[in-house]
């Protein structure tokens, strides 16, 4: 229960003095400088999905660690003592404890955020791929313009390539709100395009 109830990021902050930004905690994994040895290059990987860590320089005897191991390494105590410390500090002894429920809720929220981020990333990749294919076809159409009649028939392609380039720029930004709004515009464009070609 302890390993799954308390977030590894919170325990690292509380016992190892490691401050982790909110942006990192939504990732499946990220590297930081190890708090347990002199670390010029970040060699300490935190895995938010499994609530574990791994030090590539051999801390924790070369195996993955969990919240109990953070306390063991930080306080230099054995497993039994580390568990006691966590139970006391996080008030986990009482069944149905408010603190325990809060940590479980945090963990569930983090999992949900990670799942939504995964869906967004898949949608981004798919939309970017489709937009690049449309851009490629539009450029091919523009390169075939030889006469004024051709230009009249394919003049809309200039507008399409400009719009596609703008959308691609927006989708590449690391702003989820902008990405989501752009995906809505792109989906609407795809629907109109499909109607035109049917």
């Amino acid at each position: 229960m302890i390993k799954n109830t308390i977030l590894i990021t919170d325990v690292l902050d509380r016992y190892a003095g490691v401050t982790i930004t909110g942006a990192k905690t939504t990732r499946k994994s990220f590297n930081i400088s190890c708090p347990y040895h002199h670390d010029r290059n970040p060699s300490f990987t935190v895995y938010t999905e499994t609530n574990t860590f791994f030090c590539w320089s051999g801390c924790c005897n070369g195996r993955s660690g969990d919240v109990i191991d953070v306390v063991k390494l930080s306080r230099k105590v054995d497993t039994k003592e580390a568990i006691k410390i966590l139970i006391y500090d996080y008030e986990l002894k009482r069944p149905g404890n408010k603190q325990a429920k809060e940590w479980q809720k945090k963990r569930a929220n983090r999992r949900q955020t990670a799942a939504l981020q995964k869906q967004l990333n898949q949608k981004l990749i798919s939309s970017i791929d489709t937009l690049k294919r449309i851009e490629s076809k539009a450029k091919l159409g523009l390169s075939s313009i030889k006469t004024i009649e051709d230009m009249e028939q394919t003049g809309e392609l200039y507008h399409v390539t400009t719009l596609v380039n703008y959308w691609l720029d927006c989708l590449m930004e690391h702003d989820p709100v902008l990405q989501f709004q752009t995906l809505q515009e792109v989906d609407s464009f795809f629907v109109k395009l499909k109607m035109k070609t049917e």
Side-chain angles (χ1 to χ4, degrees):
M1 176 183 159
I2 290 174
K3 292 180 183 181
N4 296 322
T5 302
I6 309 167
L7 297 179
I8 190 83
T9 49
D10 291 301
V11 173
L12 282 166
D13 182 20
R14 187 169 194 162
Y15 299 102
V18 176
T19 305
I20 298 164
T21 61
K24 283 184 180 177
T25 58
T26 59
R27 299 183 203 163
K28 288 182 184 178
S29 67
F30 55 88
N31 288 346
I32 58 173
S33 294
C34 180
Y36 304 113
H37 73 272
H38 179 67
D39 201 7
R40 286 193 305 181
N41 297 312
S43 63
F44 191 91
T45 306
V46 179
Y47 300 95
T48 56
E49 280 195 331
T50 57
N51 216 37
T52 58
F53 70 86
F54 186 81
C55 176
W56 299 93
S57 294
C59 291
C60 209
N61 300 320
R63 64 174 178 77
S64 290
D66 53 39
V67 294
I68 296 168
D69 292 304
V70 170
V71 178
K72 282 170 66 176
L73 289 165
S74 300
R75 295 282 176 89
K76 303 197 182 332
V77 294
D78 62 15
T79 302
K80 192 175 176 181
E81 189 60 29
I83 291 170
K84 281 182 183 176
I85 290 169
L86 286 166
I87 288 171
Y88 179 79
D89 288 350
Y90 287 95
E91 301 175 359
L92 300 176
K93 200 143 195 159
R94 286 164 285 156
N97 176 280
K98 187 180 174 184
Q99 181 76 37
K101 286 180 180 176
E102 191 179 309
W103 287 108
Q104 286 168 344
K105 188 178 176 183
K106 265 189 177 182
R107 186 134 194 238
N109 286 344
R110 194 185 66 215
R111 280 186 179 155
Q112 187 179 18
T113 302
L116 289 171
Q117 187 63 52
K118 186 178 179 182
Q119 286 178 350
L120 177 63
N121 289 343
Q122 288 170 342
K123 180 75 174 165
L124 283 170
I125 290 166
S126 170
S127 297
I128 288 169
D129 186 49
T130 305
L131 284 171
K132 284 189 174 179
R133 284 201 307 271
I134 291 169
E135 181 186 38
S136 181
K137 285 182 181 178
K139 283 181 177 176
L140 190 66
L142 288 171
S143 67
S144 68
I145 294 174
K146 305 284 185 224
T147 65
I148 291 180
E149 288 80 20
D150 291 341
M151 191 177 288
E152 286 171 1
Q153 290 176 354
T154 58
E156 192 180 332
L157 292 177
Y158 284 109
H159 175 68
V160 169
T161 53
T162 303
L163 198 53
V164 165
N165 281 324
Y166 168 73
W167 283 332
L168 285 170
D169 286 344
C170 291
L171 293 177
M172 298 292 190
E173 286 288 327
H174 294 289
D175 178 354
V177 175
L178 177 62
Q179 288 173 331
F180 184 75
Q181 289 170 342
T182 305
L183 284 172
Q184 288 181 315
E185 290 177 24
V186 168
D187 281 346
S188 176
F189 172 71
F190 289 163
V191 168
K192 287 177 187 172
L193 199 63
K194 191 176 179 184
M195 287 169 64
K196 276 188 179 180
T197 55
E198 284 176 350

